[in-house]
Amino acid sequence: MRVDMNITFPSLHCDDLHLDAMDVAGDSQLNIVDTLVKKRLHLDGSILSAEEIRVEANKNSQKDKEREQLKDRKLPDDYCGSCYGAQEKEGDCCNTCDEVMNAYKRKRWGSQDVIRTAEQCQREGKADKMEPKRMSKGEGCNLSGYMMFSRVAGNFHIAMGEGVERDGRHIHQFLPEDSINFNASHVIHKLSFGPDYGLDDVRGRTSLDGVSKIVTEQNGSTGLFQYFVKIVPTTYKGFSEGRVLETNRYFFTERFRPLMTDVIEEAHHDLGGKDGLAGAHVGGAVGSGSHAAQEHHKVQNSLLPGVFF
């Protein structure tokens, strides 16, 4: 089943926007990018120009070159790397990132901060690998395009951190102190399951199109937006030339769970955990039956609960 979407996240940088999908059959898709387009936005909603993106790309390229030069730099024969205060006696050397970490462990000091800044760890390229990426700030993002989803119960979501599979579970990795920076505010311009053919019955009052959700300090600053969707296979008949159109309508309920920053304590968070995870989450099931509609009649909203499973 094809799912079309156009959603704007006015306060979430495109670098931190990852769309994942999973279903009850155990299939999952991580960071779907091949059929989706991200457009970087200023906080006022305007799109970043090509020139702005080019200038930033040049700056990042220069930083990458400097890091590579640091890695390739030949050390002098008498090199003695700093242990950053963790040496056992004066004159001790820590010439590698591992030696710096071991020195800190012997002191029973936390090593996460020194790993990010130690010259040895930067030279060996370990500084960026020891922890999840920090969130970017100061931009929004528009996500548009489509994804393919199995016709079984499941969900797709945009949540804090980067999704990974570990021990058969879908988890998200992030820095706990970054939780306050994850703003899941969003505007749904379009969300459809299957072709809509431009018919009002498909994209009518049961649609999420036009829904706008904004988090504020009053409602928790960050939180989990959940949409529970029931998808109804629908066949449209009675068109000229005997045309029959098959698509899906959907009905939804929604919930918002404010998540204060002291709730998010673990850097590896199970999406199914009791505390939830900041983001936007759409879960749904496809109805076991189908509904037939005539061209000249509105589809009625009085579907029996038994249509869904």
Side-chain angles (χ1 to χ4, degrees):
M1 176 173 58
R2 174 168 166 154
V3 181
D4 286 88
M5 65 186 70
N6 185 342
I7 307 173
T8 292
F9 293 81
S11 301
L12 187 62
H13 198 290
C14 286
D15 289 347
D16 303 314
L17 197 160
H18 310 287
L19 178 67
D20 299 338
M22 56 175 59
D23 61 40
V24 294
D27 295 328
S28 61
Q29 304 176 63
L30 302 180
N31 193 23
I32 304 169
V33 296
D34 53 343
T35 55
L36 295 167
V37 176
K38 296 179 184 179
K39 294 180 181 178
R40 295 171 59 184
L41 307 175
H42 293 290
L43 292 179
D44 64 3
S46 60
I47 299 175
L48 266 70
S49 67
E51 178 62 18
E52 289 175 305
I53 296 175
R54 185 188 67 80
V55 170
E56 181 180 347
N58 288 340
K59 290 181 180 179
N60 291 335
S61 178
Q62 182 60 35
K63 290 180 180 178
D64 289 340
K65 288 180 181 178
E66 292 173 357
R67 280 195 290 265
E68 290 299 320
Q69 290 172 355
L70 185 61
K71 293 179 186 178
D72 296 337
R73 189 182 68 186
K74 186 176 180 180
L75 299 175
D77 294 336
D78 60 349
Y79 172 77
C80 179
S82 172
C83 294
Y84 303 92
Q87 63 274 9
E88 292 185 350
K89 62 182 183 298
E90 187 176 352
D92 282 353
C93 302
C94 295
N95 292 343
T96 67
C97 185
D98 287 341
E99 289 178 358
V100 173
M101 292 173 61
N102 289 334
Y104 267 64
K105 287 178 181 178
R106 286 193 295 269
K107 293 282 188 179
R108 296 188 177 183
W109 294 352
S111 59
Q112 290 300 314
D113 290 336
V114 74
I115 290 172
R116 291 196 292 265
T117 58
E119 174 265 334
Q120 298 91 324
C121 299
Q122 292 183 358
R123 185 180 67 246
E124 296 171 18
K126 294 183 177 181
D128 297 330
K129 298 179 181 179
M130 299 305 296
E131 62 176 24
K133 171 190 168 297
R134 285 188 174 275
M135 289 186 62
S136 305
K137 299 179 184 178
E139 290 187 18
C141 188
N142 173 261
L143 181 70
S144 63
Y146 70 93
M147 57 172 285
M148 302 305 295
F149 200 80
S150 300
R151 298 183 68 89
V152 295
N155 75 75
F156 60 90
H157 57 269
I158 295 162
M160 182 175 177
E162 189 169 357
V164 297
E165 296 292 333
R166 182 172 297 172
D167 299 327
R169 295 188 305 163
H170 180 84
I171 65 174
H172 281 246
Q173 299 182 117
F174 58 89
L175 294 173
E177 62 266 29
D178 244 355
S179 59
I180 195 172
N181 297 320
F182 190 90
N183 189 325
S185 299
H186 58 277
V187 179
I188 302 176
H189 308 290
K190 177 182 179 180
L191 180 64
S192 62
F193 300 84
D196 58 39
Y197 303 111
L199 297 174
D200 291 338
D201 281 341
V202 180
R203 295 178 63 193
R205 56 186 172 180
T206 62
S207 170
L208 279 165
D209 295 6
V211 167
S212 176
K213 300 294 183 180
I214 306 297
V215 294
T216 64
E217 292 185 3
Q218 286 70 34
N219 64 15
S221 297
T222 186
L224 170 63
F225 292 94
Q226 293 176 297
Y227 297 97
F228 304 95
V229 175
K230 292 292 185 180
I231 301 170
V232 185
T234 304
T235 300
Y236 288 82
K237 300 178 180 179
F239 292 91
S240 59
E241 302 177 355
R243 286 193 307 153
V244 175
L245 304 180
E246 295 185 354
T247 185
N248 303 289
R249 300 175 71 229
Y250 67 89
F251 303 87
F252 70 92
T253 57
E254 60 181 283
R255 180 174 70 166
F256 173 67
R257 296 176 60 190
L259 299 173
M260 304 307 292
T261 56
D262 57 355
V263 171
I264 305 175
E265 299 173 348
E266 298 295 333
H268 304 282
H269 195 99
D270 186 350
L271 191 66
K274 62 183 178 62
D275 294 327
L277 183 62
H281 181 287
V282 180
V286 182
S288 57
S290 62
H291 192 97
Q294 299 295 321
E295 180 187 23
H296 53 279
H297 292 299
K298 290 285 187 181
V299 178
Q300 299 299 311
N301 290 332
S302 55
L303 297 176
L304 296 176
V307 172
F308 311 121
F309 68 91

